[in-house]
């Protein structure tokens, strides 16, 4: 009998291929799991008006964890235009299923390990080993947005903020408002998760990424909470950096950093920058972790131009599966999977196109499986 029930969400485009490749590796690990397929992505938007159907939401309520490939997302007008004719004009609106999933299941911690595996020709520098903690449900991604801006919103802003004066005379269509909403609870738990991780894993320093000098209310609160939390971890150095300076310093001195923690948008930015320093999208893996569910995924999208070609690098998804094993408490299997992946990278015989080779998606997975 399977020990774990795993939601298997391939999604669109190359998501399907990298997930099939990852299954080759997981099957070799003799991991006692039942994989249950879930529908998600563009096809379900087009044909049902919902990229994240209710049956998939129900599935996620019944599993121990989920592995997710990638989805295609398009702007509102393109999304409406691709709906089946009978669904058009019915008021259905496209929203990214991954953002919905994070909010619906309160997957508040976006964890992104950034490791330069020795011998990867795409490493910016050998030896980079960072971990990013990105708040995952709040901030500018809260989805509280106005375009056009309703009169009630503009009237409230005019009455409550003198800085709104330059915008107060604009027509509803002449500007747009996206709210950056951060809570004390959301900020506290992501910062604490970063410090806890540092403490448990022998890491020396946590850098809090912010823009509190300008974005005073939300980032000011985030920074203040981070300083309070840091007091409880006297053995860990607490460091602070503005997001703009951070992008520069990360490139200049990546070895000055260790664990990074940030509100949602800044975390999104630095984790892509960090991923590029250790091989790019073919290597970027992430976990969306909540108290009751965790969904692991590569950070790349559906890459339509490579879909169906069995060409892209499955390592990002294989490393996401390794994170899933760790989260489930399957530490020896996770370590074996990471070691096998690192060995194939170091050996350099099997390389996908992004690494300068010609191996297929499947061949890369088979090479890693052969090392297990
Ligand atoms: N989490 C997600 O599912 C997610 C993330 C980003 C983008 N998207 C969506 O994916 C679609 C395509 O977006 P995009 O083309 O801007 O981004 P993308 O991440 O899909 O791909 C961009 C480029 O990166 C490279 N790449 C991506 N994955 C790779 C891999 N595994 N191995 C080697 N190279 C790889 C390819 O050159 C590809 O053309 C869009 O609809 C977008 O909205 C989804």
């Amino acid at each position: 009998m399977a020990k774990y029930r795993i939601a298997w969400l391939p999604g669109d485009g190359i998501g399907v291929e990298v997930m099939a490749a990852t299954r080759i590796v997981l099957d070799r690990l003799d991991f006692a799991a039942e994989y249950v397929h879930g529908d998600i992505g563009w096809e379900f938007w087009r044909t049902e008006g919902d990229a994240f159907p209710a049956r998939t939401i129900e599935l996620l309520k019944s599993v121990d964890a989920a592995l997710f490939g990638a989805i295609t997302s398009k702007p509102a007008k393109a999304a409406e235009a691709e709906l089946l004719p009978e669904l058009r004009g019915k008021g259905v609106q496209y929203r990214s299923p991954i953002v919905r999933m994070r909010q619906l299941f309160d997957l508040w911690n976006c964890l992104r390990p950034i490791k330069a595996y020795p011998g990867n020709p795409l490493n910016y520098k050998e030896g980079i080993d960072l971990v990013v903690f990105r708040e995952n449900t709040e901030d500018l991604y809260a989805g509280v947005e106005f375009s056009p801006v309703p009169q009630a919103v503009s009237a409230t802003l005019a009455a409550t903020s003198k800085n709104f004066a330059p915008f107060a005379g604009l027509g509803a269509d002449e500007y747009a408002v996206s709210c950056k909403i951060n809570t004390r609870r959301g900020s506290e738990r992501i910062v604490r998760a970063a410090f806890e991780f540092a403490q448990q894993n022998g890491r020396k320093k946590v850098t809090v990424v912010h823009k509190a000098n300008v974005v005073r209310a939300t980032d000011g609160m985030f920074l203040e909470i981070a300083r309070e939390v840091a007091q409880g971890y006297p053995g860990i150095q607490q460091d602070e950096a503005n997001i703009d300076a951070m992008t520069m310093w990360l490139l200049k001195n990546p070895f000055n950093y260790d664990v990074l923690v940030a509100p949602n948008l800044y975390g999104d930015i630095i984790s892509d920058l960090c991923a590029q320093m250790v091989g790019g999208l073919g290597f970027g893996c992430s976990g969306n972790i909540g108290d009751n569910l965790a969904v692991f995924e590569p950070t790349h999208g559906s890459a339509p131009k490579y879909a169906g070609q069995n060409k892209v690098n499955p390592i990002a998804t294989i490393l996401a599966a390794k994170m899933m094993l760790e989260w489930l408490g399957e530490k020896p299997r996770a370590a074996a999977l990471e070691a096998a992946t690192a060995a194939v990278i170091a050996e350099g015989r099997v390389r996908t196109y992004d690494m300068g080779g010609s191996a297929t998606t499947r061949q890369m997975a088979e090479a890693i499986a052969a090392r297990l």
Side-chain angles (χ1 to χ4, degrees):
M1 169 139 167
K3 187 169 170 196
Y4 302 106
R5 193 171 145 84
I6 308 292
W8 193 257
L9 313 174
D12 300 311
I14 62 164
V16 176
E17 293 155 58
V18 292
M19 288 285 280
T22 301
R23 188 66 160 269
I24 294 172
V25 175
L26 283 172
D27 286 349
R28 181 65 69 96
L29 272 175
D30 203 16
F31 169 54
E34 176 199 2
Y35 299 101
V36 190
H37 175 93
D39 292 335
I40 192 164
W42 198 249
E43 198 47 31
F44 304 97
W45 160 254
R46 244 182 32 75
T47 57
E48 301 178 18
D50 192 352
F52 188 29
R55 58 186 177 280
T56 307
I57 295 174
E58 283 309 306
L59 167 66
L60 285 174
K61 290 179 185 164
S62 74
V63 296
D64 297 295
L67 200 62
F68 168 58
I71 43 127
T72 296
S73 270
K74 296 187 187 177
K77 282 194 182 126
E80 172 83 15
E82 289 192 29
L83 267 179
L84 285 184
E86 56 268 35
L87 294 171
R88 281 183 219 155
K90 296 260 163 67
V92 286
Q93 275 190 340
Y94 184 80
R95 262 199 91 201
S96 159
I98 183 75
V99 175
R100 274 173 68 200
M101 191 192 297
R102 286 168 181 161
Q103 288 176 344
L104 200 59
F105 289 92
D106 197 19
L107 307 176
W108 52 271
N109 176 4
C110 185
L111 176 63
R112 295 192 174 177
I114 310 286
K115 198 173 197 174
Y117 288 97
N120 181 354
L122 300 173
N123 285 342
Y124 171 61
K125 287 182 181 165
E126 290 287 342
I128 294 174
D129 185 7
L130 303 161
V131 182
V132 178
F133 285 78
R134 163 189 167 195
E135 197 290 318
N136 215 21
T137 56
E138 309 187 339
D139 202 59
L140 269 170
Y141 295 64
V144 182
E145 305 194 278
F146 305 100
S147 176
V149 183
Q151 220 280 325
V153 173
S154 58
T156 304
L157 291 173
T160 52
S161 171
K162 66 177 181 344
N163 292 338
F164 187 69
F167 311 105
L170 295 173
D173 278 326
E174 288 182 296
Y175 70 122
V177 173
S178 298
C179 297
K180 174 166 158 72
I181 303 179
N182 301 76
T183 66
R184 287 197 167 271
R185 176 170 175 259
S187 306
E188 205 264 351
R189 63 185 177 178
I190 193 70
V191 173
R192 191 169 294 287
F195 275 93
E196 273 298 312
F197 173 88
Q199 181 154 285
Q200 284 166 23
N201 292 276
R203 299 275 182 158
K204 304 272 177 291
K205 176 156 129 179
V206 175
T207 302
V208 183
V209 183
H210 65 91
K211 187 72 186 173
N213 55 336
V214 177
V215 189
R216 292 172 187 278
T218 47
D219 288 1
M221 183 185 76
F222 192 87
L223 190 56
E224 180 193 305
I225 289 170
R227 288 174 182 166
E228 280 165 24
V229 170
Q231 308 260 314
Y233 299 85
I236 314 276
Q237 188 192 341
Q238 189 249 347
D239 177 39
E240 298 166 3
N242 279 314
I243 175 65
D244 46 346
M246 190 69 215
T247 56
M248 182 186 69
W249 288 118
L250 262 176
L251 271 185
K252 193 161 189 288
N253 296 323
F255 302 113
N256 281 0
Y257 300 96
D258 193 346
V259 176
L260 308 169
V261 62
N264 208 336
L265 178 62
Y266 310 146
D268 202 1
I269 294 167
I270 49 170
S271 45
D272 270 23
L273 170 63
C274 289
Q276 194 56 40
M277 296 199 292
V278 297
L281 289 169
F283 292 83
C285 56
S286 99
N288 301 280
I289 301 171
D291 294 333
N292 303 310
L293 177 71
V295 180
F296 297 87
E297 56 165 336
T299 58
H300 62 72
S302 61
K305 80 175 182 207
Y306 292 124
Q309 295 179 29
N310 190 27
K311 179 173 177 171
V312 296
N313 195 340
I315 287 181
T317 316
I318 290 170
L319 291 174
K322 173 228 136 196
M323 292 178 73
M324 178 179 80
L325 292 169
E326 258 165 13
W327 188 78
L328 289 169
E330 295 280 337
K331 298 237 157 61
R333 284 192 173 86
L337 181 50
E338 183 172 32
T341 308
V344 170
I345 295 169
E347 190 187 52
R349 256 186 348 103
V350 179
R351 286 179 170 168
T352 43
Y353 86 94
D354 53 321
M355 302 170 79
S358 58
T360 65
T361 306
R362 199 184 161 89
Q363 282 167 344
M364 176 59 91
E366 282 166 349
I368 294 170
R371 291 275 184 164
L372 286 164

